[in-house]
Amino acid sequence: MEAEKLRAVEQAVEEERRMGTETARKERIVLEREKEEIVRNKEQLRRERETTELQMKRSRESQARQAELVNRLQAKLVKYRDDAVEGGELVEQLTVQARSDNQTIRDLQGKVE
């Protein structure tokens, strides 16, 4: 009887050990899957971060090109304004000169006649 009880206890202990081992194995599998998912998530985050950084870099480069273009266009605008002012002054001088020349021609025609 004692031997049977002892055997029953040994069997129960062995069964408990097997269940513990099986539980530990299942937990390891779950942990491995979670670890793999974490690794995948980290990789995805890294790719997304790289993509975002590349987009930001391109945006900064685009803004720099736009700023350079604006500066060049503003410089051209200033030059064209200066040229227009100079052209206006030249037209005014030529108009005055033409009026003076017309008056001189009239005066000379009056003397000739």
Side-chain angles (χ1 to χ4, degrees), residues 56-68:
M56 290 175 59
K57 178 184 175 191
R58 288 178 179 165
S59 177
R60 284 190 301 269
E61 290 171 351
S62 176
Q63 288 175 346
R65 284 191 306 271
Q66 290 172 355
E68 183 181 333

Side-chain angles (χ1 to χ4, degrees), residues 8-45:
V9 168
E10 286 175 352
Q11 285 177 348
V13 167
E14 185 61 33
E15 182 63 28
E16 187 66 31
R17 187 177 302 137
R18 271 185 271 168
M19 287 175 44
T21 302
E22 182 64 23
T23 302
R25 187 184 69 77
K26 288 179 181 178
E27 287 177 356
R28 278 194 304 275
I29 291 171
V30 168
L31 288 174
E32 281 298 317
R33 287 180 182 161
E34 289 176 353
K35 183 179 177 181
E36 289 170 0
E37 184 177 348
I38 289 171
V39 168
R40 282 191 306 270
N41 288 340
K42 283 183 177 181
E43 181 63 24
Q44 180 180 355
L45 288 174

